[in-house]
């Protein structure tokens, strides 16, 4: 008999990754924001390049939706994303980097020397003002 398919858990059970993310964030922050000790925050981002203006469209459990005002070629959108996130969070550009997904729309942006609460508040404020 063939082994069962590996995939998402059925029956409403939370996957281990979501459960551990909730435990790491204390349950008060969405799953798209994770604290990486000692003082780095990882933000899961769904990038939407080629927009007219750079804005944060949503803060979901899976990812933060970010429209970027640069085309997706030669790293222009990645540079614009780093610049936009640093301006939203009020940190220096050298403290923001792309951890993974440099050639994908699904990215992980790392921000150094910040707290989870300050990142969430800044993102929420930017999302509500757009």
């Amino acid at each position: 008999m063939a082994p069962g398919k590996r995939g998402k858990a059925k029956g409403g059970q939370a996957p281990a990754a979501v459960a551990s993310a909730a435990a790491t964030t204390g349950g008060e922050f969405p799953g798209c924001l994770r604290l990486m000790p000692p003082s780095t925050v990882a933000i899961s981002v769904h990038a939407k390049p080629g927009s007219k203006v750079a804005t944060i469209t949503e803060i979901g459990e899976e990812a933060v939706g970010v429209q970027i005002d640069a085309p997706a070629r030669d790293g222009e959108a990645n540079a614009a994303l780093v610049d936009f996130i640093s301006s939203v969070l009020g940190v220096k550009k050298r403290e923001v980097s792309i951890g993974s997904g440099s050639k994908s729309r699904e990215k992980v942006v790392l921000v150094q020397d910040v707290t989870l609460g300050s990142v969430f508040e800044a993102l929420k404020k930017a999302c509500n003002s757009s």
Side-chain angles (χ1 to χ4, degrees):
M1 186 167 166
K5 292 184 179 180
R6 295 183 186 183
K8 294 183 179 177
K10 293 182 181 178
Q13 295 176 341
V18 173
S20 66
T24 303
T25 60
E28 50 191 273
F29 302 110
C32 62
L33 302 175
R34 295 178 308 281
L35 180 63
M36 299 174 67
S39 62
T40 300
V41 173
I43 307 169
S44 297
V45 172
H46 178 75
K48 302 166 190 170
S51 176
K52 292 183 190 253
V53 292
T55 58
I56 295 179
T57 57
E58 66 171 325
I59 302 173
E61 241 352 91
E62 299 286 321
V64 175
V66 180
Q67 291 182 335
I68 305 164
D69 57 350
R73 74 173 105 89
D74 299 328
E76 290 180 46
N78 289 337
L81 176 65
V82 167
D83 189 39
F84 178 66
I85 294 292
S86 67
S87 68
V88 166
L89 300 179
V91 299
K92 297 176 182 171
K93 282 200 291 188
R94 70 172 179 246
E95 295 176 337
V96 179
S97 63
I98 299 198
S100 65
S102 62
K103 297 203 180 270
S104 169
R105 287 180 186 235
E106 302 299 324
K107 303 178 186 299
V108 175
V109 177
L110 303 175
V111 187
Q112 298 175 350
D113 301 327
V114 291
T115 63
L116 203 54
S118 65
V119 169
F120 181 61
E121 289 302 317
L123 291 174
K124 192 165 65 168
K125 183 179 176 184
C127 184
N128 292 338
S129 67
S130 57

